[in-house]
Amino acid sequence: MLVGMSENEYSAYMKDKTAVNKGSDFVFNNTRYQVKANRPSGKKGSFVTMVPKAANYEWDRLIWILYDKNYVIQEAWEWGVEEYKDAFDAIKRLSPDHYRKGRCLYKK
C-alpha cells in the first residue's frame, strides 16, 4: 500500500507465489520491489542499530520499513537499485541512518 498497490491487488498477485522469492518480493506497475524490515525486540530500551542489506540487485526499488515492537509502521524509506548500489555496495554494516537518506514513504 506504501507504493499504491491495493490489498486486493497484492492478494491476487501473491495467490500463486511463496513468501520467499529470490530477488524481489512483489511486482507492481512493472516495478520489482524488495522489502526489508526491522523492529526492536520489545525489551526495555531496545532499539534497532543494524538493518538488513540487500543480498542481490534483482529488483528495481527497495523499501525499508521500521516497525515498533507491536509491528506498527514507524518509518518507510525507498531506494532505487542504482542509488542503493552506489551508496551501500562497499559498506558492510548498515544502520537505520543509512536507509533514512532515501526517499521517505512514511514517517510517523
Side-chain angles (χ1 to χ4, degrees), residues 1-11 26-29 31 33 63 78 103 105-106:
M1 289 180 259
L2 290 168
V3 297
M5 187 179 208
S6 73
E7 190 173 344
N8 287 340
E9 288 171 309
Y10 181 75
S11 181
F26 68 96
V27 178
F28 178 60
N29 289 338
T31 301
Y33 287 91
I63 298 171
E78 183 181 49
R103 185 171 81 88
L105 296 178
Y106 181 87

Side-chain angles (χ1 to χ4, degrees), residues 92-103:
K92 295 203 183 286
R93 180 185 164 102
L94 298 180
S95 73
D97 286 338
H98 286 105
Y99 278 153
R100 288 178 181 129
K101 294 176 184 169
R103 185 171 81 88

